[in-house]
Amino acid sequence: MTCAFCSEFKTPDGLFRNGRFFCRSCGREWILEKRKNQRLQPPTDTNFSNEILLEFLSLFNTSPSLSHLLESFTSLAFYKLGIPGVSVMIYEPRLDRMTVMSVKNQKSSLSRVAQHFEIKKGEDNGPLTECIEHCKSIYYKFADQKHKHFKQYARLNRTVAALAVPIHLNGEVLGIIIVDYNRDDPEKAENEKYFLELLAAQFAVTLKNRILFEVSQTQSRNFRSLHSAALRLSSLGFKYKVEIFRVILLSLTEFSENDLYSLFEWNKDNHTLFGHFLTGNITSPEIRMDVDMARQSTFKIRIQTTDEEADMIGDKERKISRKGLEPIPGEMSIPIKRYEFFLKEIFELTESKLAFSSDFPELEKFGMWGLNLAILPVVHTDKSDIVIILGKRKDRHFNAEELEVLNAFSIQAGISIQNYHLFDQRAQKERLDKEIEIAKELQKSLLPRKMPEHSGYEFAGTMVPARGVGGDYYDFITDPFNTETVICIGDVSGKGVPAGIVMATVRTIIHSLVRKKVSSWDIVNTVNTYIFQNYNDSPSPRFMSMTVIKWEMNRNEFLFSGAGQGTLYLLRNATQEIEEIPTGGIILGIDPDISKFENLNQFRMLAGDLLIMCTDGVLEASNQDGIQFESERFKKSILQFQGEALQAMLDGIVSEIRKFTGNQEQMDDITLAAIRRIR
């Protein structure tokens, strides 16, 4: 059995007086009958009066803040209760520890000694740990304690014993009231315990409300900061991926206090690992790394200070020290093979995870040494995975409220990154569309503004650019003396503005050569020399197929040279048959010397004859089944529309091609050039 007052575990030992049993240890009446609740008598000390109790209750109901409440409580207890010293320990969930928050004793200099004391989870601090674990008041003597803090405090304050009273609500210990005594007097402590436990019960309600209020205030501030960060992330237009990563980490510093902020991206398409780091010290440099895991056996970390944003990646290379997360001069190389497990464990997370840095030795290479970590998945797609990793020192922890805000922020960060990708894709599309429009305008400017005028011949040409813009070109060039006309058709490899620039230059070369009255082969040879010399060693080589026809306007002979362009289609009016005339030659830009492929041929036209040239966009136009238009359908179209005016005939052929391809996207330019002898 146990005495209800002194808690002595022993066989009942006491005295009977007037029919009642008194404990020999504490002198109090001992109720022998079994009871669930202890029968306690109110203290007789005049210091512990109802008036004092009302003062404490008034303090609990009117104190504006937790810090004011604790400070006022210790002062009121010290002066009104006439005790040598009193201190209050409060549990801090964020740090997972019980620490002295307020103290008042005989010597004000001892406040610093008391406030250095804390109870960490898992540590044995004697009576205080027992007070917390068993949620009951404990009387103890300083001389019996092993912890050096008790002995130091007793020596400096000249106190002998203390009473620890838990501040609890429904078994949840929120703090401890500790009262000092100048002499070992368990009876006095027992007498005062009734009053102190009554105070602690009222204190617990107020303390819980204050803690909840401050938690709600903190959450409110955090969510306001979160909302502000979300607005900032969604409103800013980011030009570089590094910019949005940096803003995400800087936004985190506004409402989450950490010693390390980091963001990792694993790109699955090109097997690259990108990392961005900030430390809790704003004067420390930012750390960025970009690693090609597929090509490198080791990788290095580059350090860039915040004022070097222009180059994105700084020139100074350093490695991370294991002390304090501060970079030191030098260079760090890390074997990539060690990071295969790290990548799998970190980037496959679908929900937030709390961990220790020792769980991931690979992270210690990035300065995450001796830290409690919060790993937050941000983006998880088929192309890339992005995570945020935050770190706190070992004595600090992530609590549930903070983790809730961080999870909400990681969702918003993921949305912002996705928006960035959409914005970037849209910007790329806009740039491509703009390039296409420029290329189309360039192509239009290269086309002949008017056809040659001759009483015996009719000329026409048309080009329907594809959506992606190819490199087709046709031209009718008459010399300044109106004696010769050069007809040419060609196709530059590639698409867009680069192909258009090649075409523009080739057109200029041909126009200049027409003035010199050179042969068709000389024109082909000169264009080959230009393309080979300027594009053979470039990152994007260019090639061109071409057919050049030279016609002396007072004769009925057409001399031509080919450069891999294909076939001339000559419809004979007398027989209504189409001759296919191969042009021969080699694609321009492949060989610096094409003399061995020199070709110079001719054909003649009779009245009513019709010559048509086309690029491969005509013959290779495909329908939804992948079947190409090809030469037979092309010849049928020529025969079908031969009775039309020359330009109308070409438009008719184009309409047949479109009818054949249906809804299929046009993949290449459709270009046609034609000559008809009228008489």
Side-chain angles (χ1 to χ4, degrees):
M1 297 182 66
T2 305
C3 175
F5 296 100
C6 65
S7 301
E8 291 287 341
F9 290 88
K10 59 185 179 181
T11 303
D13 183 14
L15 301 172
F16 278 100
R17 294 198 300 270
N18 298 323
R20 291 184 296 174
F21 186 78
F22 292 87
C23 176
R24 288 186 182 276
S25 299
C26 63
R28 291 280 184 169
E29 178 188 2
W30 195 348
I31 308 301
L32 293 180
E33 59 184 296
K34 296 181 179 179
R35 294 179 180 270
K36 292 184 179 178
N37 300 317
Q38 301 172 355
R39 177 190 285 180
L40 301 180
Q41 296 182 357
T44 57
D45 195 323
T46 56
N47 287 341
F48 295 85
S49 64
N50 290 335
E51 289 76 11
I52 298 297
L53 177 61
L54 290 176
E55 286 191 53
F56 278 105
L57 293 178
S58 176
L59 171 64
F60 295 153
N61 293 327
T62 59
S63 186
S65 65
L66 178 60
S67 59
H68 180 269
L69 171 65
L70 297 176
E71 183 178 352
S72 300
F73 176 82
T74 51
S75 295
L76 184 63
F78 179 75
Y79 291 113
K80 292 290 185 178
L81 302 182
I83 51 182
V86 61
S87 57
V88 179
M89 302 187 77
I90 300 296
Y91 178 67
E92 296 180 278
R94 185 173 64 90
L95 302 176
D96 197 22
R97 68 182 182 184
M98 189 85 72
T99 183
V100 175
M101 301 287 285
S102 181
V103 61
K104 191 75 175 177
N105 50 35
Q106 299 173 89
K107 296 183 179 181
S108 59
S109 60
L110 290 176
S111 297
R112 288 178 297 177
V113 177
Q115 288 179 333
H116 285 163
F117 184 67
E118 62 183 26
I119 301 174
K120 294 181 181 179
K121 187 176 181 180
E123 289 186 356
D124 183 9
N125 288 284
L128 298 185
T129 300
E130 184 180 354
C131 176
I132 296 171
E133 291 181 352
H134 298 285
C135 192
K136 68 176 184 178
S137 301
I138 301 293
Y139 175 80
Y140 59 92
K141 294 186 288 186
F142 288 112
D144 297 336
Q145 307 308 313
K146 297 179 180 180
H147 199 291
K148 64 180 181 180
H149 176 85
F150 290 101
K151 295 181 178 180
Q152 181 186 21
Y153 182 81
R155 178 174 55 82
L156 294 174
N157 202 31
R158 297 180 182 177
T159 53
V160 175
L163 174 65
V165 179
I167 305 172
H168 69 94
L169 193 64
N170 298 326
E172 177 189 0
V173 178
L174 305 174
I176 305 175
I177 300 173
I178 304 173
V179 177
D180 298 335
Y181 295 101
N182 290 330
R183 59 189 180 85
D184 180 18
D185 192 346
E187 184 173 352
K188 177 177 175 58
E190 182 64 34
N191 186 56
E192 295 174 352
K193 185 175 69 170
Y194 176 89
F195 185 87
L196 292 172
E197 287 181 345
L198 185 60
L199 282 183
Q202 297 298 319
F203 198 171
V205 176
T206 301
L207 185 58
K208 183 66 174 181
N209 291 336
R210 291 296 176 187
I211 292 174
L212 291 176
F213 176 76
E214 296 214 349
V215 168
S216 66
Q217 288 290 91
T218 302
Q219 284 185 322
S220 177
R221 287 193 299 270
N222 288 344
F223 278 105
R224 283 198 300 270
S225 299
L226 175 62
H227 178 67
S228 174
L231 290 177
R232 179 167 56 253
L233 289 175
S234 60
S235 63
L236 294 178
F238 297 98
K239 187 176 180 181
Y240 300 103
K241 179 174 62 177
V242 171
E243 288 179 337
I244 189 170
F245 286 176
R246 180 171 183 262
V247 172
I248 286 173
L249 295 182
L250 288 175
S251 298
L252 274 169
T253 64
E254 295 181 6
F255 60 87
S256 180
E257 184 180 349
N258 301 288
D259 297 292
L260 184 68
Y261 305 81
S262 65
L263 186 150
F264 289 91
E265 179 187 35
W266 170 243
N267 190 308
K268 300 175 183 177
D269 287 343
N270 53 25
H271 292 82
T272 58
L273 179 65
F274 179 83
H276 195 119
F277 307 82
L278 293 176
T279 65
N281 183 357
I282 60 174
T283 62
S284 298
E286 297 178 18
I287 307 168
R288 294 173 191 155
M289 70 173 191
D290 206 343
V291 188
D292 188 338
M293 306 286 276
R295 296 185 179 181
Q296 299 171 231
S297 59
T298 60
F299 62 87
K300 302 171 184 177
I301 288 183
R302 289 178 178 270
I303 306 293
Q304 181 205 339
T305 55
T306 55
D307 57 355
E308 294 175 315
E309 295 179 11
D311 298 329
M312 287 296 129
I313 298 295
D315 295 330
K316 186 177 291 186
E317 293 184 349
R318 302 179 180 181
K319 69 177 180 180
I320 301 176
S321 167
R322 290 170 65 92
K323 297 181 180 179
L325 310 175
E326 294 293 335
I328 59 175
E331 179 179 289
M332 178 179 67
S333 295
I334 305 174
I336 285 178
K337 288 185 178 180
R338 292 179 52 186
Y339 285 81
E340 294 176 356
F341 178 76
F342 159 71
L343 293 174
K344 182 177 179 181
E345 286 291 302
I346 295 295
F347 290 109
E348 290 187 359
L349 289 175
T350 56
E351 57 184 21
S352 59
K353 178 178 180 179
L354 297 180
F356 301 102
S357 58
S358 56
D359 296 337
F360 299 98
E362 296 83 2
L363 293 178
E364 294 186 357
K365 288 291 186 177
F366 301 122
M368 300 183 191
W369 179 72
L371 296 177
N372 292 313
L373 303 178
I375 305 172
L376 311 169
V378 177
V379 172
H380 187 68
T381 65
D382 293 336
K383 293 186 176 181
S384 68
D385 293 325
I386 298 176
V387 297
I388 291 173
I389 302 179
L390 305 176
K392 295 181 185 291
R393 292 190 303 270
K394 280 187 175 180
D395 58 342
R396 303 172 62 213
H397 298 267
F398 294 92
N399 58 44
E401 292 81 7
E402 184 178 12
L403 197 60
E404 181 183 1
V405 177
L406 291 174
N407 283 328
F409 178 82
S410 66
I411 293 172
Q412 179 59 47
I415 294 172
S416 299
I417 292 174
Q418 297 283 32
N419 288 341
Y420 159 76
H421 286 307
L422 292 175
F423 174 81
D424 186 57
Q425 290 172 6
R426 186 182 67 180
Q428 290 183 13
K429 183 178 181 301
E430 289 176 352
R431 287 194 296 270
L432 179 59
D433 290 344
K434 184 65 175 177
E435 182 177 299
I436 289 172
E437 289 302 316
I438 294 172
K440 286 182 177 179
E441 292 300 319
L442 186 58
Q443 279 186 311
K444 289 180 181 179
S445 69
L446 298 178
L447 301 179
R449 292 183 175 86
K450 65 178 183 177
M451 295 294 113
E453 296 179 357
H454 194 281
S455 58
Y457 289 87
E458 182 184 6
F459 303 89
T462 188
M463 183 178 67
V464 182
R467 183 177 181 276
V469 182
D472 282 10
Y473 163 67
Y474 77 91
D475 210 347
F476 298 88
I477 311 164
T478 302
D479 72 340
F481 306 103
N482 202 33
T483 58
E484 290 183 345
T485 295
V486 171
I487 304 101
C488 57
I489 188 169
D491 185 1
V492 177
S493 64
K495 298 181 182 297
V497 173
I501 292 173
V502 176
M503 281 194 299
T505 308
V506 168
R507 178 181 181 276
T508 302
I509 293 172
I510 295 174
H511 276 250
S512 66
L513 292 175
V514 168
R515 293 175 175 272
K516 299 180 180 180
K517 295 183 178 294
V518 298
S519 69
S520 58
W521 177 253
D522 289 334
I523 293 174
V524 169
N525 194 38
T526 302
V527 171
N528 178 74
T529 301
Y530 161 74
I531 294 176
F532 183 85
Q533 290 181 349
N534 288 275
Y535 295 100
N536 180 60
D537 295 329
S538 69
S540 300
R542 298 293 171 187
F543 309 102
M544 185 175 187
S545 60
M546 177 182 287
T547 298
V548 178
I549 302 174
K550 185 175 181 181
W551 172 54
E552 291 187 17
M553 299 172 66
N554 59 352
R555 302 177 63 182
N556 189 33
E557 290 182 354
F558 294 83
L559 303 176
F560 70 90
S561 296
Q565 178 58 38
T567 302
L568 303 178
Y569 295 87
L570 181 56
L571 172 61
R572 295 297 183 181
N573 184 47
T575 62
Q576 285 296 295
E577 292 182 354
I578 298 176
E579 296 180 14
E580 295 186 30
I581 306 173
T583 57
I586 185 175
I587 299 293
L588 306 181
I590 296 176
D591 196 322
D593 181 12
I594 60 172
S595 58
K596 58 185 176 182
F597 300 100
E598 182 177 353
N599 62 88
L600 186 60
N601 301 292
Q602 66 175 350
F603 62 88
R604 297 174 64 86
M605 296 180 67
L606 301 176
D609 288 353
L610 172 66
L611 177 76
I612 296 183
M613 300 179 288
C614 68
T615 58
D616 53 8
V618 173
L619 304 179
E620 295 177 1
S622 302
N623 63 15
Q624 60 183 3
D625 296 323
I627 300 173
Q628 295 184 342
F629 194 65
E630 295 182 339
S631 61
E632 289 303 316
R633 293 184 181 84
F634 180 52
K635 290 190 287 185
K636 286 181 181 180
S637 299
I638 295 173
L639 293 171
Q640 179 182 349
F641 295 100
Q642 63 173 315
E644 303 286 342
L646 197 57
Q647 190 63 53
M649 186 196 75
L650 297 183
D651 293 340
I653 294 173
V654 171
S655 68
E656 283 297 302
I657 295 172
R658 286 180 169 170
K659 187 185 299 182
F660 172 78
T661 57
N663 294 327
Q664 281 294 104
E665 182 179 359
Q666 182 183 334
M667 301 304 296
D668 201 356
D669 295 346
I670 295 174
T671 304
L672 297 164
I675 307 170
R676 174 185 281 161
R677 183 175 179 180
I678 302 173
R679 57 182 177 84

